[in-house]
Amino acid sequence: MSTLTHPSTEILLAASGALDQDARDLVLIGFLAFVVPILFICVLSGPERDRVEDFYMAGRTLRPLRGALVLSGVYLSAATVLGTTGSVAIYGYDGLLIALCTVLSLGVLLLLAGPLRRHAGYTLGDTFALRAPGPAVRIAVAVVTLSACVPYLVVQLSGAGVTTAALLGLSGPGVEQTAIVMIGALVVCATVFGGMRGTVVIQVIKTLVLLGAAAAVTAVLLHRFGWDTDSLIRAAAQGSGRPDAYLRPGLRFAGTGARSTLDLIGLMVTIVLGVACLPHVTMQLGAAPDAAAARRTVRHTIGIVGAFCLATAVLGLGAAALVGAPAVVGADPGGNSALLLLTAVLAGGPTAGTGGALLVALVSSAVFLTTLAVVASVTLAAAAAVAHDLYTRVLRHGRTTEGREVAAARWASAGAGVLSIALAVGVQGWNVQFLSVISLAVAASSLLPALVYSLFWRGFNRTGLLWTLYGGLVCAVGLQLSSPVFSGSPAALFPDRHFDWFPLQTVVLVSLPVAFLLGLLGSMRGRRRARVPSAAMSGMPYGSGYAPDEVPYGTGYAPDGTARPPHGHGQTHGHGQAHGHGQTHGHGQAHGHGQAHGHGHAYEPGRTYGPGRAYGGRTEEPLPPE
């Protein structure tokens, strides 16, 4: 088993330990005085009533500008803040491409934003259920969501433990594990009590603090070079130790052959497509009031994230120039210490005054809030998949109340948090960076094809959806576990074992086409199986070609064979053919016993749901069946 070479105490603690005692105390006081009130604000901003829409979607009231600040906070993870800066410092041109890909991924999200918001429920399971209702799809979506979220949480918490311990002037495995437990507990509390409303507050504050910290450090850095970017670039090339290759592609993956080129292209595709389709990112779009607001939110986000990525590129060059790429690699092979090392140098080290200490405190708070905010959003997405898709829709078949579902979501948040904390503590000291690659590969290989087919292809059906979700998941995870990032290379999790029969470090170039092909073949097979010799066997008009579980969205037929208008048009159920016995309910007769849902659909007696909500209604009212 490999151990991850975490930042050495002498180097990483430069951000706090290299300061004198008075400056270090000021950093700690400023850090606690800044972070603790934010956590209280997050908890106090939670929903006042146990409403599902408030807990999952913050009432769907986020206007574009505020929504852009929140979405930027969701996008800018610790991997982006720390990892991209380190990639630029170590790999030069290739690192700049990685920063660019982060912005380009928002272009993919912009294309999906309008259709995704129009078909948004509370989870991706709600979106896919419009095309293929039923428990099998809900279970598949939940499995894929958890497969993307849990590894992402482990990586975030593991890195947070090392960084937080170092920023507080401490070191050692026990201290790092304690820091993981403390951070994880804070995230669980913020998610359990705050829900989406609480995470919105912390995301807005995190984005503003992060932008302020990036602007402050960038200004100090450029001032050091007399605001001459050419001098900064030349110094970065010299500090990289490879001045001739620093500004040319090829450093990220050693070698000049086709394999290294494919790895670089695969990494860029993984970032562009994977980040845009992570469950907590797509879930955030549902908080916009409508599709137009969702698109404007993404457009504003492109400007914010683009400005920040430009700052990370400058900071990465500064780390190479002032710290040196060899020192960054010696502290952490992944480069995650580059920003902290640069901040320490700019602060003045042991001779730092109050201004330098405040700069370190600002960066420390930004890094901590970044981890806390992203982990809270990912935890909420995982909890929604468990509580809404598995508990409410699969186990309870929709027969529950809003209060019970919110309670289930709170318990699911605690469960997801505890599981992630336990895994992060257990693997502390291992090289778990490949887990973040798995999360992005799963999102790009499974969720992206399913979303594209579901939103843009009317022929996509239940069989195609299941083949896409499971096929993309198995292909991405299987190939990643067979790649050099898992075994057989010095930086792998198991460097002394050899399961690396797949030659590439990035798998999306193979797993993504496979998932699209499986979706196509599955839909064709589903249509062939659906063709029956008579209308009596299908419960639908003769010659339709679709069985009850293979109905394309928008055809006007419900999964049980009864005629039904497209979702959300406000017409009544039950005016078509009855499934199985050939009788018809009278046109306009309510399906069920008289309970109104949305704009007039009836399901059960006695309770109504206010018009215009996804599932509407007041607290403690039954949720409508699917």
Side-chain angles (χ1 to χ4, degrees), residues 527-582:
R527 286 197 294 273
R528 284 198 301 268
R529 292 178 59 189
R531 294 190 178 96
V532 292
S534 68
M537 296 179 62
S538 66
M540 294 169 59
Y542 180 73
S544 64
Y546 295 100
D549 63 346
E550 299 292 348
V551 183
Y553 177 70
T555 60
Y557 291 95
D560 61 355
T562 59
R564 184 180 68 181
H567 179 75
H569 287 208
Q571 303 175 24
T572 56
H573 291 220
H575 58 279
Q577 289 182 312
H579 176 63
H581 52 72

Coordinates of all heavy atoms in Angstrom, one line a residue, residues 527-582:
R527 N -37.4 -0.8 -27.5 CA -38.5 -0.6 -28.4 C -38.9 -1.9 -29.1 O -40.1 -2.2 -29.4 CB -38.1 0.4 -29.5 CG -38.2 1.9 -29.0 CD -38.2 2.9 -30.1 NE -36.9 2.8 -30.9 CZ -35.9 3.5 -30.6 NH1 -35.9 4.3 -29.5 NH2 -34.8 3.5 -31.3
R528 N -37.9 -2.8 -29.4 CA -38.2 -4.1 -30.0 C -39.0 -4.9 -29.0 O -40.0 -5.6 -29.4 CB -36.9 -4.8 -30.4 CG -36.3 -4.2 -31.6 CD -35.3 -5.2 -32.2 NE -34.2 -5.6 -31.2 CZ -33.1 -4.9 -31.2 NH1 -32.8 -3.9 -32.0 NH2 -32.2 -5.3 -30.3
R529 N -38.7 -4.9 -27.7 CA -39.4 -5.7 -26.8 C -40.8 -5.2 -26.5 O -41.7 -5.9 -26.1 CB -38.6 -5.7 -25.4 CG -37.3 -6.5 -25.5 CD -36.6 -6.4 -24.2 NE -37.4 -6.9 -23.1 CZ -37.1 -6.8 -21.8 NH1 -36.0 -6.2 -21.4 NH2 -37.9 -7.4 -20.9
A530 N -41.0 -3.8 -26.8 CA -42.2 -3.2 -26.5 C -43.3 -3.5 -27.6 O -44.5 -3.3 -27.4 CB -42.1 -1.7 -26.4
R531 N -42.8 -3.9 -28.8 CA -43.8 -4.2 -29.9 C -44.6 -5.4 -29.6 O -44.0 -6.5 -29.4 CB -43.1 -4.3 -31.2 CG -42.4 -3.0 -31.6 CD -41.9 -3.0 -33.1 NE -41.3 -1.8 -33.5 CZ -40.0 -1.5 -33.4 NH1 -39.2 -2.4 -32.9 NH2 -39.6 -0.3 -33.8
V532 N -45.9 -5.3 -29.6 CA -46.7 -6.5 -29.2 C -47.8 -6.6 -30.3 O -48.1 -5.6 -31.1 CB -47.4 -6.2 -27.9 CG1 -46.4 -6.3 -26.8 CG2 -48.1 -4.9 -27.8
P533 N -48.4 -7.8 -30.5 CA -49.3 -8.0 -31.6 C -50.7 -7.4 -31.4 O -51.5 -7.3 -32.4 CB -49.4 -9.5 -31.6 CG -49.1 -10.0 -30.3 CD -48.1 -9.0 -29.7
S534 N -51.0 -6.9 -30.2 CA -52.4 -6.4 -30.1 C -52.4 -5.3 -29.0 O -51.5 -5.2 -28.2 CB -53.4 -7.5 -29.6 OG -53.1 -7.9 -28.3
A535 N -53.4 -4.4 -29.1 CA -53.5 -3.3 -28.1 C -53.8 -3.9 -26.7 O -53.4 -3.2 -25.8 CB -54.6 -2.4 -28.6
A536 N -54.4 -5.0 -26.6 CA -54.8 -5.5 -25.3 C -53.6 -5.9 -24.5 O -53.6 -5.8 -23.3 CB -55.7 -6.7 -25.5
M537 N -52.5 -6.3 -25.1 CA -51.3 -6.7 -24.4 C -50.5 -5.5 -23.9 O -49.8 -5.6 -22.9 CB -50.4 -7.6 -25.3 CG -51.1 -8.9 -25.7 SD -50.0 -9.9 -26.7 CE -48.6 -10.1 -25.6
S538 N -50.6 -4.4 -24.6 CA -49.8 -3.2 -24.2 C -50.6 -2.2 -23.4 O -50.0 -1.4 -22.7 CB -49.3 -2.5 -25.5 OG -50.4 -2.0 -26.2
G539 N -51.9 -2.3 -23.4 CA -52.7 -1.3 -22.7 C -52.8 0.0 -23.3 O -53.1 1.0 -22.8
M540 N -52.3 0.1 -24.6 CA -52.3 1.3 -25.4 C -52.9 1.1 -26.7 O -53.1 -0.1 -27.1 CB -50.8 1.8 -25.5 CG -50.2 2.2 -24.1 SD -48.5 2.5 -24.3 CE -48.4 3.8 -25.5
P541 N -53.1 2.1 -27.5 CA -53.7 1.9 -28.8 C -52.8 1.0 -29.7 O -51.6 1.1 -29.6 CB -53.7 3.3 -29.4 CG -53.8 4.2 -28.2 CD -53.0 3.5 -27.2
Y542 N -53.4 0.2 -30.5 CA -52.7 -0.8 -31.3 C -51.7 -0.1 -32.2 O -52.1 0.9 -32.8 CB -53.7 -1.7 -32.1 CG -53.0 -2.7 -32.9 CD1 -52.4 -3.8 -32.4 CD2 -52.9 -2.5 -34.3 CE1 -51.8 -4.7 -33.2 CE2 -52.3 -3.4 -35.1 CZ -51.7 -4.5 -34.5 OH -51.0 -5.5 -35.3
G543 N -50.5 -0.7 -32.3 CA -49.6 -0.1 -33.2 C -48.7 1.0 -32.6 O -47.9 1.6 -33.3
S544 N -48.9 1.3 -31.3 CA -48.0 2.3 -30.7 C -46.6 1.9 -30.6 O -45.7 2.7 -30.6 CB -48.6 2.7 -29.4 OG -48.5 1.6 -28.5
G545 N -46.4 0.6 -30.3 CA -45.0 0.1 -30.3 C -44.4 0.3 -28.9 O -43.2 0.1 -28.8
Y546 N -45.1 0.6 -27.9 CA -44.5 0.9 -26.6 C -45.2 0.1 -25.5 O -46.5 0.1 -25.5 CB -44.5 2.4 -26.2 CG -43.6 3.2 -27.1 CD1 -44.2 3.9 -28.2 CD2 -42.3 3.2 -27.0 CE1 -43.4 4.7 -29.0 CE2 -41.5 3.9 -27.8 CZ -42.0 4.7 -28.8 OH -41.2 5.4 -29.6
A547 N -44.5 -0.6 -24.7 CA -45.1 -1.2 -23.5 C -45.2 -0.2 -22.4 O -44.6 0.9 -22.4 CB -44.2 -2.4 -23.1
P548 N -45.9 -0.5 -21.3 CA -46.1 0.4 -20.2 C -44.8 1.0 -19.6 O -44.8 2.1 -19.1 CB -46.9 -0.4 -19.2 CG -47.6 -1.4 -20.0 CD -46.7 -1.8 -21.1
D549 N -43.7 0.2 -19.5 CA -42.5 0.7 -18.9 C -41.6 1.3 -20.0 O -40.4 1.6 -19.6 CB -41.8 -0.4 -18.2 CG -41.3 -1.6 -19.0 OD1 -41.8 -1.6 -20.2 OD2 -40.5 -2.4 -18.6
E550 N -42.0 1.5 -21.2 CA -41.1 2.0 -22.2 C -41.7 3.2 -22.9 O -41.5 3.5 -24.1 CB -40.9 0.9 -23.3 CG -40.2 -0.3 -22.8 CD -38.8 -0.1 -22.4 OE1 -38.3 1.0 -22.7 OE2 -38.2 -1.0 -21.8
V551 N -42.5 4.0 -22.2 CA -43.2 5.2 -22.8 C -42.3 6.4 -22.9 O -41.8 6.8 -21.8 CB -44.5 5.5 -21.9 CG1 -45.2 6.6 -22.6 CG2 -45.3 4.3 -21.8
P552 N -42.0 6.9 -24.0 CA -41.2 8.1 -24.1 C -42.0 9.3 -23.5 O -43.2 9.4 -23.6 CB -41.0 8.3 -25.7 CG -41.4 7.0 -26.3 CD -42.4 6.4 -25.4
Y553 N -41.2 10.2 -22.9 CA -41.8 11.3 -22.3 C -42.5 12.2 -23.3 O -41.9 12.5 -24.4 CB -40.8 12.2 -21.6 CG -41.3 13.4 -20.9 CD1 -42.2 13.4 -19.9 CD2 -41.0 14.7 -21.5 CE1 -42.7 14.5 -19.3 CE2 -41.5 15.8 -21.0 CZ -42.3 15.7 -19.9 OH -42.8 16.9 -19.3
G554 N -43.7 12.6 -23.1 CA -44.4 13.5 -24.0 C -45.3 12.8 -24.9 O -46.0 13.4 -25.8
T555 N -45.4 11.4 -24.9 CA -46.3 10.7 -25.8 C -47.8 10.8 -25.3 O -48.7 10.6 -26.1 CB -46.0 9.2 -25.8 OG1 -46.1 8.7 -24.5 CG2 -44.6 9.0 -26.3
G556 N -48.0 11.2 -24.1 CA -49.4 11.3 -23.6 C -49.9 10.1 -22.9 O -51.1 10.0 -22.7
Y557 N -49.1 9.1 -22.6 CA -49.5 7.9 -22.0 C -48.8 7.7 -20.7 O -47.6 7.9 -20.6 CB -49.3 6.7 -22.9 CG -50.2 6.7 -24.1 CD1 -49.8 7.2 -25.3 CD2 -51.5 6.2 -24.0 CE1 -50.6 7.3 -26.4 CE2 -52.4 6.3 -25.1 CZ -51.9 6.8 -26.3 OH -52.7 6.9 -27.3
A558 N -49.5 7.3 -19.7 CA -48.9 7.0 -18.3 C -48.3 5.6 -18.3 O -48.5 4.8 -19.2 CB -50.0 7.1 -17.3
P559 N -47.4 5.4 -17.3 CA -46.7 4.1 -17.2 C -47.7 2.9 -17.1 O -47.4 1.8 -17.4 CB -45.9 4.2 -16.0 CG -45.7 5.7 -15.8 CD -46.9 6.3 -16.3
D560 N -48.9 3.1 -16.6 CA -49.9 2.0 -16.5 C -50.7 1.9 -17.7 O -51.7 1.1 -17.7 CB -50.8 2.3 -15.2 CG -51.6 3.6 -15.3 OD1 -51.4 4.3 -16.3 OD2 -52.4 3.8 -14.4
G561 N -50.5 2.6 -18.7 CA -51.2 2.5 -20.0 C -52.3 3.4 -20.2 O -52.9 3.5 -21.2
T562 N -52.7 4.2 -19.1 CA -53.8 5.2 -19.3 C -53.2 6.4 -20.0 O -52.1 6.7 -19.9 CB -54.3 5.6 -17.9 OG1 -53.3 6.1 -17.1 CG2 -54.9 4.4 -17.2
A563 N -54.2 7.1 -20.7 CA -53.7 8.3 -21.4 C -53.4 9.4 -20.4 O -54.1 9.5 -19.4 CB -54.8 8.7 -22.3
R564 N -52.4 10.1 -20.6 CA -52.0 11.2 -19.7 C -51.3 12.3 -20.5 O -50.5 12.0 -21.4 CB -51.0 10.7 -18.7 CG -50.7 11.7 -17.6 CD -49.7 11.1 -16.6 NE -48.4 10.9 -17.1 CZ -47.4 10.3 -16.5 NH1 -47.6 10.0 -15.2 NH2 -46.3 10.1 -17.0
P565 N -51.6 13.5 -20.2 CA -50.9 14.6 -20.9 C -49.5 14.8 -20.4 O -49.2 14.2 -19.4 CB -51.8 15.9 -20.6 CG -52.3 15.5 -19.2 CD -52.6 14.0 -19.3
P566 N -48.7 15.5 -21.1 CA -47.3 15.7 -20.6 C -47.3 16.4 -19.3 O -48.3 17.1 -19.0 CB -46.7 16.7 -21.7 CG -47.5 16.4 -22.9 CD -48.9 16.0 -22.5
H567 N -46.3 16.1 -18.5 CA -46.2 16.6 -17.1 C -46.4 18.1 -17.0 O -45.7 18.9 -17.7 CB -44.8 16.2 -16.5 CG -44.6 16.7 -15.1 ND1 -45.2 16.0 -14.1 CD2 -43.9 17.7 -14.6 CE1 -44.9 16.6 -13.0 NE2 -44.1 17.6 -13.3
G568 N -47.3 18.6 -16.1 CA -47.4 20.0 -15.8 C -48.3 20.7 -16.7 O -48.4 22.0 -16.6
H569 N -49.2 20.1 -17.5 CA -50.1 20.9 -18.3 C -51.4 21.1 -17.7 O -52.3 21.7 -18.2 CB -50.3 20.1 -19.7 CG -49.1 20.3 -20.5 ND1 -49.1 20.3 -21.9 CD2 -47.8 20.4 -20.2 CE1 -47.9 20.4 -22.4 NE2 -47.1 20.5 -21.4
G570 N -51.6 20.5 -16.5 CA -52.8 20.8 -15.7 C -54.1 20.1 -16.2 O -55.2 20.5 -15.8
Q571 N -53.9 19.0 -17.0 CA -55.1 18.3 -17.4 C -55.3 17.1 -16.4 O -54.4 16.7 -15.7 CB -55.0 17.8 -18.8 CG -54.7 18.9 -19.8 CD -54.5 18.4 -21.2 OE1 -54.9 17.3 -21.5 NE2 -53.8 19.2 -22.0
T572 N -56.5 16.5 -16.5 CA -56.8 15.4 -15.5 C -56.3 14.1 -16.1 O -56.2 13.8 -17.3 CB -58.3 15.3 -15.3 OG1 -58.9 15.1 -16.5 CG2 -58.8 16.6 -14.6
H573 N -55.9 13.2 -15.1 CA -55.5 11.8 -15.5 C -56.8 11.0 -15.7 O -57.9 11.3 -15.3 CB -54.8 11.2 -14.3 CG -53.4 11.8 -14.1 ND1 -52.3 11.0 -13.7 CD2 -53.0 13.1 -14.1 CE1 -51.3 11.8 -13.6 NE2 -51.7 13.0 -13.8
G574 N -56.6 9.9 -16.4 CA -57.7 8.9 -16.5 C -58.7 9.1 -17.6 O -59.8 8.6 -17.5
H575 N -58.3 9.9 -18.6 CA -59.3 10.0 -19.7 C -59.1 9.1 -20.9 O -59.7 9.3 -21.9 CB -59.4 11.5 -20.1 CG -58.1 12.0 -20.6 ND1 -57.1 12.4 -19.8 CD2 -57.6 12.2 -21.9 CE1 -56.0 12.9 -20.5 NE2 -56.3 12.7 -21.8
G576 N -58.1 8.2 -20.8 CA -57.8 7.3 -21.9 C -58.2 5.9 -21.5 O -59.1 5.6 -20.8
Q577 N -57.4 5.0 -22.1 CA -57.7 3.6 -21.9 C -57.2 3.1 -20.6 O -56.2 3.5 -20.1 CB -57.0 2.7 -23.0 CG -57.7 3.0 -24.4 CD -57.0 2.1 -25.4 OE1 -55.8 2.0 -25.5 NE2 -57.8 1.4 -26.2
A578 N -57.9 2.2 -19.9 CA -57.5 1.6 -18.7 C -56.6 0.4 -19.1 O -56.8 -0.3 -20.0 CB -58.7 1.1 -17.9
H579 N -55.5 0.2 -18.3 CA -54.6 -0.8 -18.5 C -55.1 -2.2 -18.1 O -55.5 -2.4 -17.0 CB -53.3 -0.5 -17.8 CG -52.3 -1.6 -17.9 ND1 -51.7 -1.9 -19.1 CD2 -51.7 -2.4 -17.0 CE1 -50.8 -2.9 -19.0 NE2 -50.8 -3.2 -17.7
G580 N -55.1 -3.1 -19.0 CA -55.3 -4.5 -18.7 C -56.7 -5.0 -18.9 O -56.9 -6.1 -19.2
H581 N -57.8 -4.2 -18.7 CA -59.1 -4.7 -18.8 C -59.9 -4.0 -19.9 O -61.1 -4.4 -20.0 CB -59.8 -4.6 -17.4 CG -59.8 -3.2 -16.8 ND1 -60.5 -2.2 -17.4 CD2 -59.1 -2.7 -15.8 CE1 -60.3 -1.1 -16.6 NE2 -59.5 -1.4 -15.7
G582 N -59.4 -3.1 -20.6 CA -60.0 -2.6 -21.8 C -61.1 -1.5 -21.5 O -61.7 -1.0 -22.4

